[in-house]
Amino acid sequence: LQNTKDHDIVFLGATNREDILDDAAVRAGRIDKHIEIPMPDQKTRKSILQAHLDDRPHSLSELNIAHAAHQLTEASAADMAKIAEEAARQTVYRRGDRVRWGDVQMALEEF
């Protein structure tokens, strides 16, 4: 990262394990700006789940999706994408044509 000022280079790094970063790698002068993005809140979790489920045929109510989001207080956006995928997989296993609440419940149990 040295001698990059004349070349308009910007370095971005991301991690979900800040606790194991080497202090020397992130000391002042190396990475100048640290931005923490917290886990999504209830409203955001509901929106993320809704977005992933709207790509699939489903018979879930807004209340179902809100209830699922409420159970996922420690889940990341990637975790919620995985849950939607697992719910869709459960639908295929039971030879269904729509994701139902039971499919989501099974995905939540696996999570």
Side-chain angles (χ1 to χ4, degrees), residues 8-9 24 27-29 38 40-41 49 57 61 71 97 105 107:
D8 293 328
I9 295 174
R27 72 172 170 76
D41 62 12
L49 280 173
S61 69
Q71 294 180 47
D97 62 343
Q105 286 177 308

CSV table of all heavy atoms in Angstrom, one decimal, residues 8-9 24 27-29 38 40-41 49 57 61 71 97 105 107:
chain,number,residue,atom,x,y,z
A,8,ASP,N,-3.9,7.1,-7.7
A,8,ASP,CA,-5.3,7.1,-7.4
A,8,ASP,C,-5.8,5.7,-7.0
A,8,ASP,O,-6.8,5.2,-7.5
A,8,ASP,CB,-6.1,7.7,-8.5
A,8,ASP,CG,-5.9,9.1,-8.8
A,8,ASP,OD1,-5.6,9.9,-7.8
A,8,ASP,OD2,-5.9,9.6,-9.9
A,9,ILE,N,-5.1,5.1,-6.1
A,9,ILE,CA,-5.5,3.7,-5.6
A,9,ILE,C,-6.2,3.9,-4.3
A,9,ILE,O,-5.7,4.5,-3.4
A,9,ILE,CB,-4.3,2.8,-5.6
A,9,ILE,CG1,-3.7,2.6,-7.0
A,9,ILE,CG2,-4.7,1.5,-4.9
A,9,ILE,CD1,-2.4,1.8,-7.0
A,24,ALA,N,-0.9,-4.7,13.9
A,24,ALA,CA,0.1,-4.0,13.0
A,24,ALA,C,-0.5,-3.7,11.6
A,24,ALA,O,-0.2,-2.8,11.0
A,24,ALA,CB,1.3,-4.9,12.9
A,27,ARG,N,-3.0,-0.5,12.1
A,27,ARG,CA,-2.5,0.6,12.9
A,27,ARG,C,-2.7,1.9,12.1
A,27,ARG,O,-2.9,1.9,10.9
A,27,ARG,CB,-1.1,0.4,13.3
A,27,ARG,CG,-0.1,0.6,12.2
A,27,ARG,CD,1.3,0.6,12.8
A,27,ARG,NE,2.3,0.5,11.7
A,27,ARG,CZ,2.7,1.4,10.9
A,27,ARG,NH1,2.1,2.6,11.0
A,27,ARG,NH2,3.6,1.2,10.0
A,28,ALA,N,-2.6,3.0,12.8
A,28,ALA,CA,-2.8,4.3,12.2
A,28,ALA,C,-1.7,4.5,11.1
A,28,ALA,O,-0.6,4.1,11.2
A,28,ALA,CB,-2.6,5.4,13.2
A,29,GLY,N,-2.1,5.0,9.9
A,29,GLY,CA,-1.2,5.2,8.8
A,29,GLY,C,-1.3,4.1,7.8
A,29,GLY,O,-0.9,4.2,6.7
A,38,PRO,N,-23.1,-2.5,11.9
A,38,PRO,CA,-23.7,-3.4,12.8
A,38,PRO,C,-24.6,-4.4,12.1
A,38,PRO,O,-25.0,-4.3,11.0
A,38,PRO,CB,-24.5,-2.6,13.8
A,38,PRO,CG,-24.8,-1.4,13.0
A,38,PRO,CD,-23.7,-1.2,12.0
A,40,PRO,N,-28.0,-6.2,11.1
A,40,PRO,CA,-29.3,-5.5,10.8
A,40,PRO,C,-30.3,-5.5,11.9
A,40,PRO,O,-30.4,-6.5,12.7
A,40,PRO,CB,-29.8,-6.3,9.6
A,40,PRO,CG,-28.9,-7.5,9.4
A,40,PRO,CD,-27.8,-7.3,10.3
A,41,ASP,N,-31.1,-4.4,12.0
A,41,ASP,CA,-32.1,-4.4,13.0
A,41,ASP,C,-33.4,-5.1,12.5
A,41,ASP,O,-33.4,-5.6,11.4
A,41,ASP,CB,-32.4,-2.9,13.4
A,41,ASP,CG,-33.0,-2.1,12.2
A,41,ASP,OD1,-33.3,-2.7,11.2
A,41,ASP,OD2,-33.0,-0.9,12.4
A,49,LEU,N,-35.2,-10.5,4.4
A,49,LEU,CA,-35.9,-11.7,4.2
A,49,LEU,C,-36.9,-11.6,3.1
A,49,LEU,O,-37.1,-12.5,2.2
A,49,LEU,CB,-36.5,-12.2,5.4
A,49,LEU,CG,-35.7,-12.9,6.5
A,49,LEU,CD1,-36.4,-13.1,7.7
A,49,LEU,CD2,-35.1,-14.2,5.9
A,57,PRO,N,-41.8,-18.2,-5.5
A,57,PRO,CA,-43.3,-18.3,-5.1
A,57,PRO,C,-43.4,-18.7,-3.6
A,57,PRO,O,-42.7,-19.6,-3.2
A,57,PRO,CB,-43.8,-19.4,-6.0
A,57,PRO,CG,-42.7,-19.8,-6.9
A,57,PRO,CD,-41.4,-19.2,-6.4
A,61,SER,N,-47.2,-14.6,4.8
A,61,SER,CA,-47.7,-13.3,5.1
A,61,SER,C,-46.6,-12.4,5.7
A,61,SER,O,-45.5,-12.8,6.0
A,61,SER,CB,-48.8,-13.4,6.2
A,61,SER,OG,-48.3,-13.8,7.5
A,71,GLN,N,-36.8,-13.7,15.1
A,71,GLN,CA,-36.0,-14.8,15.6
A,71,GLN,C,-34.5,-14.8,15.2
A,71,GLN,O,-33.7,-15.5,15.7
A,71,GLN,CB,-36.6,-16.2,15.1
A,71,GLN,CG,-38.0,-16.4,15.6
A,71,GLN,CD,-38.5,-17.8,15.1
A,71,GLN,OE1,-37.8,-18.8,15.2
A,71,GLN,NE2,-39.8,-17.7,14.7
A,97,ASP,N,-44.9,-26.3,-4.5
A,97,ASP,CA,-44.8,-25.3,-5.5
A,97,ASP,C,-44.6,-23.9,-4.9
A,97,ASP,O,-44.3,-23.0,-5.7
A,97,ASP,CB,-45.9,-25.3,-6.5
A,97,ASP,CG,-47.2,-25.0,-5.9
A,97,ASP,OD1,-47.3,-25.1,-4.6
A,97,ASP,OD2,-48.2,-24.7,-6.6
A,105,GLN,N,-39.8,-22.4,8.9
A,105,GLN,CA,-39.5,-22.9,10.3
A,105,GLN,C,-38.4,-24.0,10.3
A,105,GLN,O,-37.5,-24.0,11.1
A,105,GLN,CB,-40.8,-23.5,10.9
A,105,GLN,CG,-41.8,-22.4,11.3
A,105,GLN,CD,-43.0,-23.0,11.9
A,105,GLN,OE1,-43.7,-23.9,11.2
A,105,GLN,NE2,-43.4,-22.6,13.0
A,107,ALA,N,-36.0,-24.2,8.1
A,107,ALA,CA,-34.8,-23.5,7.8
A,107,ALA,C,-34.3,-22.8,9.0
A,107,ALA,O,-33.1,-22.8,9.3
A,107,ALA,CB,-35.0,-22.5,6.6
